[in-house]
Amino acid sequence: PARPAVCEAAAAPLAALRSAAPGAPIAYAGTPVQAWIVAGDAELGRTDDAAITASLAVTTPAGTEYTRALIEAAIAQWFRGQLKKAAEGQDDRAGAWAAARCAWDVALAPLAHDPAVAASDPGLAAHVDAAFAAGAAADPTKYDAAFMPGHEVVEKSWFRVVHRRLLHAASAAKTAGDAAAAARALGIFEALRDRLKDRNTPGIDLIVAELKKPDPKQIDPARIERELAVAIVKRANKYCTEAVDPASGKTLGTPAAAATAAEGLAYTEVLLPDMVEKLADQRFDRNAHVEAWNSFAHAIDEKDDAEAKRLSAELLQWNCAYQRALGLRECTSSVDETAAAAR
């Protein structure tokens, strides 16, 4: 399928925006980038264009860094919308997949190739590229099998990119007392904000307050990492068991069940570096845990109920161990944090 003109037209301006010197003026009004974001707002019921336009009034280096990150986060919302259409829509699912891939190629993949991401999480961009290629090669009679799990792999891997970039920017802000890095982190957070809602809602304000501290050297990246982890580990928790839970309505051997395992692993991969650190005294083995997720997915595909249930219990055990290590009062997939519980 042809790539959307609104995406293709923005490729050159976005490349110029990325290569511009820090603090350089941002060309936005009347550009293809604005046209793309306005289209996304209309489609998704968002107001990203207004937020970006307002932020352009702040022309300091911190202001421009914040605006750049807002632009990236807005395009990511359009990208997520296209992935959802490919996975769940009725019309032109291949076209939606191609549209999402265009957004990845021109706007988001370069962020995954950022040295800050590539150094800490090598192979992440290639992982997403492979998922896109697999979806593009899918037989039209098997779109569910390709796009339902593929959507989860790609979208949650994007969250992984955002997570790595956010923590790197927060650390850079603290180390150098760099207000522009703090502003960049604040803008990057917009791409993850909705992941905290209803899981760690108080964490949203805590992260924003951390990144808005008058002295960037006072920012606590570990605090930010914890607040993100609280929400993400709860989201991952659901998928440790959903495929084998009769109440979920999922059936082993179906694309819907496969998608739950793909989503659970992809969320867990965001957390793995911190799980290794916090669960070291329990001899947590990162590679073995990833293999357990992959084996769980295989058991789901093979309709092996006994093996799927065994692996589900193992995955849940480690998810709950990490929730305890984060200081959560209960192991849950859905209970929101309260302001009083937030540390």
Side-chain angles (χ1 to χ4, degrees):
R3 292 185 169 206
V6 72
C7 169
E8 291 280 32
L14 282 170
L17 184 64
R18 283 191 299 274
S19 63
I26 292 175
Y28 177 74
T31 68
V33 175
Q34 184 182 37
W36 191 3
I37 291 170
V38 167
D41 280 352
E43 191 172 323
L44 301 169
R46 295 182 59 84
T47 56
D48 291 317
D49 176 60
I52 293 164
T53 299
S55 75
L56 287 165
V58 183
T59 58
T60 61
T64 57
E65 285 297 296
Y66 180 66
T67 301
R68 287 171 202 257
L70 286 188
I71 289 170
E72 294 158 358
I75 292 171
Q77 295 295 343
W78 186 92
F79 162 80
R80 290 173 61 192
Q82 296 301 316
L83 288 170
K84 186 177 176 68
K85 281 187 191 176
E88 302 175 11
Q90 301 298 319
D91 303 316
D92 194 18
R93 297 171 72 183
W97 189 255
R101 190 175 190 176
C102 183
W104 170 254
D105 288 345
V106 308
L108 307 181
L111 306 178
H113 287 291
D114 184 304
V117 177
S120 64
D121 210 334
L124 178 49
H127 180 59
V128 176
D129 289 337
F132 267 126
D139 183 318
T141 64
K142 298 179 180 177
Y143 278 165
D144 279 356
F147 296 149
M148 291 178 77
H151 164 211
E152 306 303 347
V153 171
V154 171
E155 181 182 56
K156 278 63 186 183
S157 295
W158 160 243
F159 293 151
R160 200 164 130 203
V161 172
V162 177
H163 181 274
R164 307 301 189 243
R165 294 185 72 234
L166 171 54
L167 293 179
H168 182 269
S171 295
K174 177 182 178 63
T175 301
D178 186 348
R184 181 167 66 251
L186 187 64
I188 290 169
F189 176 59
E190 289 305 311
L192 273 179
R193 176 188 283 262
D194 70 350
R195 297 298 84 194
L196 277 73
K197 190 173 184 299
D198 301 326
R199 300 300 190 283
N200 184 19
T201 303
I204 296 171
D205 288 343
L206 289 168
I207 289 173
V208 169
E210 200 69 43
L211 294 171
K212 284 187 169 181
K213 284 181 173 176
D215 179 2
K217 288 189 174 182
Q218 298 302 312
I219 290 172
D220 183 355
R223 174 70 182 276
I224 294 169
E225 184 171 19
R226 180 195 179 266
E227 298 306 325
L228 295 169
V230 167
I232 294 169
V233 73
K234 291 180 183 182
R235 291 185 178 277
N237 180 279
K238 175 182 178 181
Y239 305 110
C240 295
T241 59
E242 189 170 64
V244 296
D245 179 3
S248 75
K250 301 289 191 294
T251 303
L252 295 187
T254 63
T260 70
E263 187 164 6
L265 172 56
Y267 268 133
T268 299
E269 285 178 315
V270 178
L271 304 170
L272 283 173
D274 197 46
M275 291 179 75
V276 168
E277 182 178 316
K278 287 190 168 56
L279 300 176
D281 61 338
Q282 299 175 50
R283 298 185 180 179
F284 175 74
D285 184 322
R286 176 181 183 149
N287 292 336
H289 192 59
V290 171
E291 182 53 39
W293 272 107
N294 287 327
S295 296
F296 182 49
H298 181 71
I300 290 169
D301 289 342
E302 295 297 315
K303 305 181 186 178
D304 187 339
D305 185 62
E307 181 67 356
K309 285 178 177 173
R310 183 188 73 77
L311 288 160
S312 169
E314 178 183 331
L315 296 172
L316 186 63
Q317 173 196 337
W318 283 115
N319 180 282
C320 289
Y322 183 55
Q323 292 204 32
R324 287 191 296 273
L326 290 170
L328 301 188
R329 293 164 298 164
E330 60 180 312
C331 184
T332 178
S333 65
S334 59
V335 178
D336 199 0
E337 292 297 290
T338 63
R343 301 189 312 185

